[in-house]
């Protein structure tokens, strides 16, 4: 099968013929239709995340169809028998957990001590086929085709988990208006939140786009919003945005950091944190996040903005992402289904 392979961080992916994998116990072999490119893929390729599997097939927003089903795994009371050959499934970032550590046993499988991650510590979807643990595959809402639905699998899910961590915040700030922010803004507006969007200073085009989507206010991240915020989500991987967001919070407010990687956070006066303000982060996702998000996304309905690329042009997609030159989420069209 064709695969785009990372041999070493900070080098381009190599197009290669590799053996088609065989599904083991509890696994599905999935013929990949589309795979959306996530900022985390850039962090992996650029060597900003420690110890990736090498060589590695990146990609963790995978949409495909079940090609083959492995044996049941009695250890996990596995759910692979619930899938049939030909079913459309989504494969997300969280690819495997042990099910037995203190985190797994307290509904926090996203923090599992031994978790494995698709396209990082196990091979992902920049290839004709991908293996997946059936426990972590999702059925996807029928309203979306394979191209449209792909960005929901990480930008959507991690965005959703970040958003839920803001509780019932009425005035919500969003720092960094990329893929996740675009999706979650739609959900937040649907739920009646007042949105304040912060972009790079002077990025009038993005500010205008946020206002057109329904934001009450949009400005530069060096500006203060007209009113104090009940919560803010920082999606950009820029550490100085954390104290900036903190200083825009009302008492008791929270800053939620939605990314896996961020530059260092500069020091700030304790007075900015005092009065029960909170800084927290989001790591990975749980299956429950996925079930909830795929239930609500088509009701909003959350729309995705995508820019398709052939599998062979994954490096171009990554380069344009890095340079901020994409019009939407890059999606690799690996074996697009006829009806998508
Ligand atoms: Zn665990
Ligand atoms: Zn991701």
């Amino acid at each position: 099968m064709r695969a785009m392979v990372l041999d070493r961080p900070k080098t381009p992916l190599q197009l290669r013929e590799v053996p088609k994998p065989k599904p083991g116990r509890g696994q599905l072999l999935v013929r990949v239709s589309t795979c959306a490119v996530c900022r985390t893929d850039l962090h992996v390729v650029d060597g900003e995340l420690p110890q990736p599997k090498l060589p590695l097939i990146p990609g963790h927003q995978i949409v495909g169809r079940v090609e083959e089903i492995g044996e049941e795994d009695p250890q996990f009371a596995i759910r692979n028998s619930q899938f049939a050959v030909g079913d459309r499934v989504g494969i997300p970032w969280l690819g495997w957990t042990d099910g037995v550590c203190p985190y797994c046993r307290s509904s926090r499988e996203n923090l599992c001590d031994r978790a494995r991650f698709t396209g990082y510590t196990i091979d992902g979807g920049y290839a004709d086929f991908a293996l997946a643990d059936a426990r972590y595959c999702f059925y996807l809402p029928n309203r979306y085709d394979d191209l449209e639905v792909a960005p929901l699998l990480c930008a959507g899910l991690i965005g959703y988990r970040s958003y839920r961590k803001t509780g019932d915040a009425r005035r919500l700030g969003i720092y960094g208006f990329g893929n996740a922010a675009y999706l979650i803004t739609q959900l937040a507006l649907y739920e009646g939140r007042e949105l304040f969007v912060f972009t790079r200073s002077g990025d009038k085009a993005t500010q205008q786009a946020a206002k057109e989507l329904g934001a009450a206010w949009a400005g530069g991240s060096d500006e203060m919003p007209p009113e104090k915020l009940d919560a803010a989500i920082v999606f950009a991987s820029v550490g100085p945005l954390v104290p900036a967001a903190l200083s825009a919070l009302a008492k008791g407010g929270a800053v939620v950091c939605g990314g896996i990687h961020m530059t260092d956070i500069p020091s700030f006066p304790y007075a900015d944190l005092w009065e029960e303000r909170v800084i927290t982060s989001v790591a990975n996702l749980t299956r429950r996040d996925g079930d909830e998000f795929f239930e609500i996304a088509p009701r909003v309905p959350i729309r995705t903005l995508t820019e398709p690329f052939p599998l062979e042009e994954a490096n171009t997609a990554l380069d344009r992402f890095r340079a901020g030159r994409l019009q939407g989420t890059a999606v690799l069209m690996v074996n697009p289904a006829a009806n998508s």
Side-chain angles (χ1 to χ4, degrees):
M1 67 169 188
R2 296 172 305 158
M4 294 298 290
V5 180
L6 179 72
D7 287 318
R8 272 195 334 278
K10 300 183 186 173
T11 61
L13 307 181
Q14 303 292 325
L15 176 63
R16 202 168 284 157
E17 279 293 321
V18 302
K20 178 176 158 184
K22 291 290 292 176
R25 275 178 190 269
Q27 288 185 320
L28 305 176
L29 176 69
V30 173
R31 181 180 175 82
V32 180
S33 170
T34 60
C35 183
V37 177
C38 175
R39 181 167 293 280
T40 301
D41 301 348
L42 269 189
H43 293 317
V44 171
V45 170
D46 291 346
E48 290 167 332
L49 294 183
Q51 297 180 327
K53 169 192 178 289
L54 289 175
L56 173 73
I57 302 172
H60 59 268
Q61 307 191 82
I62 307 168
V63 181
R65 284 169 184 70
V66 177
E67 175 94 356
E68 214 180 311
I69 299 175
E71 274 177 64
E72 294 289 319
D73 187 337
Q75 189 194 346
F76 291 121
I78 277 263
R79 306 189 299 173
N80 54 337
S81 59
Q82 78 176 11
F83 295 100
V85 169
D87 283 356
R88 181 170 85 152
V89 294
I91 306 174
W93 167 249
L94 186 62
W96 186 91
T97 60
D98 60 14
V100 297
C101 77
Y103 298 102
C104 285
R105 292 163 69 110
S106 55
S107 304
R108 293 179 293 166
E109 62 190 9
N110 60 308
L111 301 178
C112 175
D113 280 331
R114 296 169 63 212
R116 293 178 201 155
F117 302 105
T118 312
Y120 177 34
T121 54
I122 49 184
D123 280 331
Y126 289 16
D128 284 323
F129 294 92
L131 285 181
D133 185 317
R135 294 175 299 159
Y136 290 91
C137 293
F138 293 108
Y139 280 120
L140 301 170
N142 289 329
R143 154 178 247 286
Y144 299 100
D145 68 26
D146 293 357
L147 171 63
E148 295 166 331
V149 80
L152 297 184
L153 276 155
C154 186
L157 288 176
I158 302 287
Y160 178 76
R161 188 170 178 85
S162 307
Y163 172 64
R164 283 290 172 242
K165 286 230 177 202
T166 66
D168 53 7
R170 206 169 69 74
R171 295 197 183 104
L172 177 64
I174 293 192
Y175 286 75
F177 200 68
N179 300 331
Y182 176 74
L183 303 178
I184 284 324
T185 293
Q186 298 172 61
L187 175 56
L189 291 168
Y190 172 79
E191 293 192 337
R193 313 302 169 95
E194 215 177 324
L195 256 287
F196 298 78
V197 169
F198 299 78
T199 70
R200 274 196 199 94
S201 171
D203 184 354
K204 296 289 177 203
T206 306
Q207 291 165 18
Q208 188 56 35
K211 282 186 202 153
E212 278 166 20
L213 208 54
W217 178 91
S221 56
D222 53 346
E223 294 174 49
M224 287 301 273
E227 293 161 287
K228 292 282 190 188
L229 307 173
D230 299 313
I233 307 174
V234 179
F235 283 120
S237 53
V238 181
L241 291 177
V242 174
L246 193 60
S247 66
L249 289 186
K251 289 182 269 191
V255 175
V256 179
C257 302
I260 188 171
H261 169 83
M262 190 181 264
T263 58
D264 285 352
I265 300 170
S267 71
F268 52 85
Y270 175 63
D272 286 358
L273 183 64
W274 191 60
E275 296 171 322
E276 307 203 341
R277 294 176 181 87
V278 171
I279 300 173
T280 187
S281 68
V282 158
N284 314 317
L285 68 136
T286 64
R287 283 170 283 186
R288 188 172 159 199
D289 296 326
D291 292 341
E292 286 179 12
F293 181 67
F294 287 124
E295 196 273 317
I296 198 168
R299 283 198 281 126
V300 173
I302 295 177
R303 292 175 203 286
T304 59
L305 268 181
T306 55
E307 203 176 325
F309 291 83
L311 173 66
E312 293 81 356
E313 288 176 24
N315 286 312
T316 310
L318 289 169
D319 289 345
R320 292 192 36 203
F321 197 167
R322 196 182 288 106
R325 287 178 43 237
L326 287 170
Q327 302 306 320
T329 303
V331 178
L332 304 180
M333 308 301 285
V334 184
N335 296 292
N339 62 350
S340 76

